[in-house]
Amino acid sequence: MIDSTRFGLIGDPIGHSASPQLFRTAYSGRFPYDLIEGKVFEESYLRFLREYKAVNVTAPFKEDAFGKADIVSGPCLLIGAANILLHTKDGVECHNSDFSGVILCIAEALYPGIIAEFYAEFGASAHKKIHQFLRKCLEEKYGRRPSAVVVGCGGAGKAAAVASAEAGFCTTILNRSVEKAEAFAKGLPEYGFTTGSTDEFADAAAKADFLIYTLPAALDSLDDFRPERKEGGLILLEANYRNPAFTGLRLARLQDCGVRYIPGVRWLLGQAISGYGIMTGITPDIEALTAGQSL
């Protein structure tokens, strides 16, 4: 029987996941959050149907989760993947907090304090209001249409590209397989994505206003990367929070060039803040989640 206070995570392997601790922190241990680990998605999905109000879904099952939903949120439809499944009166609904996490990171970088302010005013649906605010104000913030480069076209890269374009950036996707990036861009002509190879990283990223790096490893060209100095500086968001590509001297050299770095843990927190609100309908404790880690 579905328990309206029970939540969890589907994936394999997930023993290392930070999600249980983040969820406990977000709600002071008020709700149980289980690891639903298994190599067969269908078995884990059936457990969700029987027992859980909502679940997060991680690799390698995000596309499987997308295919199961009766109600598909806009970002999921665009990205083709979901990392949240939620029981509603109208059926199973899917969402993508990779997308909303990027939206929150972009907004907080440009408008410090906006996450706490909007969640205090609008509650668990604040990520939608922040998205609307960005779409309305981004060009005014820069005085022109700004540009973004997304490196990688896996699950995180696709979510980042759609979020970047939705925020209002003129977005370029770089990937080792240009064909993969081109196929994704062709499927979303409304965004006018440009594409290229990761071999073009230095030239493309040097001219960008916002850079989102989603690859699991460092490109060789990172050591020689020197972005152009510009008003406001380049903002760099990295997806990988366990083994980041931008550390030590590499990061220090970029910061000397005026780069503002957003570590992967902030994307993770953005996912948690937006995603947990979607799952529970209750605003998470943002102050507790971000203790010791400024947004």
Side-chain angles (χ1 to χ4, degrees):
M1 182 176 180
I2 296 171
D3 184 340
S4 63
T5 67
R6 194 174 181 189
F7 304 90
L9 171 68
I10 289 174
D12 182 65
I14 50 175
H16 63 282
S17 174
S19 292
Q21 182 57 50
L22 283 173
F23 196 87
R24 285 191 291 270
T25 300
Y27 297 109
S28 302
R30 178 178 169 187
F31 306 117
Y33 187 96
D34 304 327
L35 293 180
I36 309 168
E37 187 169 13
K39 296 187 180 302
V40 181
F41 174 75
E42 192 66 28
E43 294 175 359
S44 298
Y45 177 72
L46 289 175
R47 282 194 62 190
F48 155 67
L49 290 180
R50 292 192 304 264
E51 304 173 29
Y52 295 88
K53 169 65 175 176
V55 291
N56 289 122
V57 182
T58 191
F61 300 132
K62 292 182 183 182
E63 292 183 359
D64 296 288
F66 169 72
K68 289 291 188 180
D70 303 303
I71 307 162
V72 179
S73 69
C76 286
L77 188 62
L78 296 167
I79 298 162
N83 66 353
I84 294 172
L85 293 174
L86 168 68
H87 279 290
T88 75
K89 61 182 179 60
D90 298 314
V92 174
E93 187 172 290
C94 71
H95 295 268
N96 192 303
S97 64
D98 291 333
F99 168 89
S100 55
V102 173
I103 291 290
L104 264 57
C105 284
I106 293 172
E108 189 69 25
L110 297 176
Y111 303 94
I114 191 173
I115 293 177
E117 178 184 344
F118 273 52
Y119 271 88
E121 181 173 356
F122 299 110
S125 64
H127 62 286
K128 297 179 181 179
K129 298 292 186 179
I130 292 173
H131 180 186
Q132 293 167 3
F133 178 84
L134 275 180
R135 286 177 63 90
K136 180 180 178 181
C137 299
L138 188 71
E139 288 196 31
E140 181 181 348
K141 179 72 174 180
Y142 280 94
R144 54 183 168 79
R145 188 181 181 195
S147 64
V149 171
V150 176
V151 185
C153 196
K158 290 176 180 177
V162 172
S164 169
E166 275 288 317
F169 288 94
C170 181
T171 303
T172 297
I173 306 169
L174 304 180
N175 197 52
R176 289 189 176 94
S177 168
V178 180
E179 292 77 14
K180 182 177 180 180
E182 288 175 343
F184 179 68
K186 185 177 180 180
L188 296 171
E190 63 270 33
Y191 290 131
F193 290 127
T194 57
T195 60
S197 166
T198 50
D199 292 340
E200 303 168 51
F201 170 80
D203 288 339
K207 301 171 186 175
D209 297 291
F210 215 102
L211 171 62
I212 307 177
Y213 191 89
T214 72
L215 296 180
L219 294 170
D220 292 340
S221 55
L222 293 189
D223 289 330
D224 299 320
F225 175 48
R226 297 292 185 277
E228 296 177 1
R229 280 191 172 272
K230 62 184 75 175
E231 185 177 354
L234 171 67
I235 301 173
L236 165 61
L237 169 61
E238 181 168 18
N240 193 336
Y241 66 93
R242 293 190 179 278
N243 299 293
F246 297 92
T247 59
L249 289 176
R250 180 182 291 148
L251 177 58
R253 283 195 294 267
L254 291 179
Q255 290 174 328
D256 285 343
C257 294
V259 173
R260 295 163 58 195
Y261 176 65
I262 306 172
V265 67
R266 294 196 206 170
W267 189 345
L268 179 67
L269 290 173
Q271 292 171 329
I273 291 167
S274 58
Y276 296 164
I278 291 169
M279 292 168 70
T280 65
I282 301 170
T283 305
D285 188 336
I286 294 174
E287 185 175 349
L289 279 171
T290 58
Q293 174 62 54
S294 64
L295 287 168

